Amino acid sequence: MPLPSQDTRVTYPDGELVASTRVLHVAATDDGRNAVITEATSFHPVDATWPDQPADTGTLRVRGVAHVIRDAVVAATDGESLHLGSDIPVRKGTEGWAFVVAHLVDADVEVAEGDEVQIEADAATRRALSAGHTACHLASLALNRVLADRWSKPARADALGSPDFDGIAIDTSRIVANGSVDRYRLNKSLRRSGFDTASLVADASAIDHRALIDQLDRWIASGAPVRVESDGDGLTDRRSWVCELPEGTARIPCGGTHLNSLAELSAVLPLFALLDDAGTPVLEMSTEARLRH
């Protein structure tokens, strides 16, 4: 069976955990595993171009036997060969290429092209990562608000109209179970853009933490609904996190998974630290998402 010519159809943006589907291709990987490509999947993969949210955990069920999915990565094919993760040589949307989810399983798993299979993502892991990702977006919006008066020049706006410190200064973002870690470079470029980096470099506690927490508490108390909007069900179709906050609808481009409502959260708690990256100051925001049980 030839390699796929269309993107994998994904159902995880809608919160789905289970997908019954058909195997399109199986390929051996360099590290001794097999990459299983299916028509559809409920499994969120890690994307090497922006690996903020890790892959789901879960199983691939073949002929009644459940096998552990060791990892899931975004892959791409031009019909001749399959490229995994950071080995993909082209950008998403390149003509003639299909972007697919590669489910990595042990080499001794008996699965073949044409098999009908069931893919199941672990519910607890999904919820913990979704909580972390939703909290990450909330914390970034709140941070932008409390830092708004530190700009001396006009800056591009975030989803709620505040100067977008998060979008302009972000270096890395990592979603973890019930939390996230975001790092912002307080470099010369940011200072030239009009942001007052000096006070934060001197003391990360210069951020008004009480105002930040108060803002987050108000949003959580609103119980605002959360959803993922998509232009289609293909892996590379554009998707956005949407939250109906009291101040207005916040919409942020995002390929991850999320909670259904802020009512699922009891608190979002960011902490700050100042780091050094080869002489460049870095502000780190570690965010904890506490769930209602």
Side-chain angles (χ1 to χ4, degrees), residues 44-72:
H44 178 273
V46 65
D47 187 341
T49 60
W50 187 249
D52 57 340
Q53 182 170 334
D56 282 327
T57 61
T59 59
L60 174 77
R61 185 175 293 274
V62 189
R63 289 179 288 279
V65 179
H67 304 278
V68 175
I69 297 175
R70 302 297 181 185
D71 201 357

Side-chain angles (χ1 to χ4, degrees), residues 90-164:
V90 296
R91 294 177 180 270
K92 293 183 181 71
T94 299
E95 186 176 356
W97 286 76
F99 281 74
V100 297
V101 176
H103 310 84
L104 303 181
V105 299
D106 293 337
D108 60 358
V109 172
E110 294 184 3
V111 58
E113 295 166 3
D115 281 347
E116 297 293 331
V117 298
Q118 185 179 76
I119 295 168
E120 182 171 0
D122 178 75
T125 301
R126 168 71 66 77
R127 187 166 191 247
L129 291 172
S130 295
H133 211 147
T134 295
C136 178
H137 287 333
L138 280 184
S140 71
L141 290 170
L143 181 63
N144 288 346
R145 285 204 155 201
V146 301
L147 295 180
D149 61 357
R150 295 175 181 270
W151 293 88
S152 61
K153 298 178 183 178
R156 79 183 189 211
D158 70 9
L160 293 176
S162 299
D164 192 8

Side-chain angles (χ1 to χ4, degrees), residues 127 134 138 219-220 222-227 243 258-265 291:
R127 187 166 191 247
T134 295
L138 280 184
W219 284 341
I220 291 168
S222 74
V226 176
R227 65 183 183 275
C243 186
H258 290 279
L259 300 176
N260 293 317
S261 168
L262 299 190
E264 296 179 54
L265 294 166
L291 286 160

Side-chain angles (χ1 to χ4, degrees), residues 263-288:
E264 296 179 54
L265 294 166
S266 64
V268 172
L269 304 171
L271 294 175
F272 296 93
L274 191 65
L275 310 177
D276 182 273
D277 181 13
T280 298
V282 174
L283 179 69
E284 180 180 84
M285 179 171 68
S286 299
T287 302
E288 178 188 356

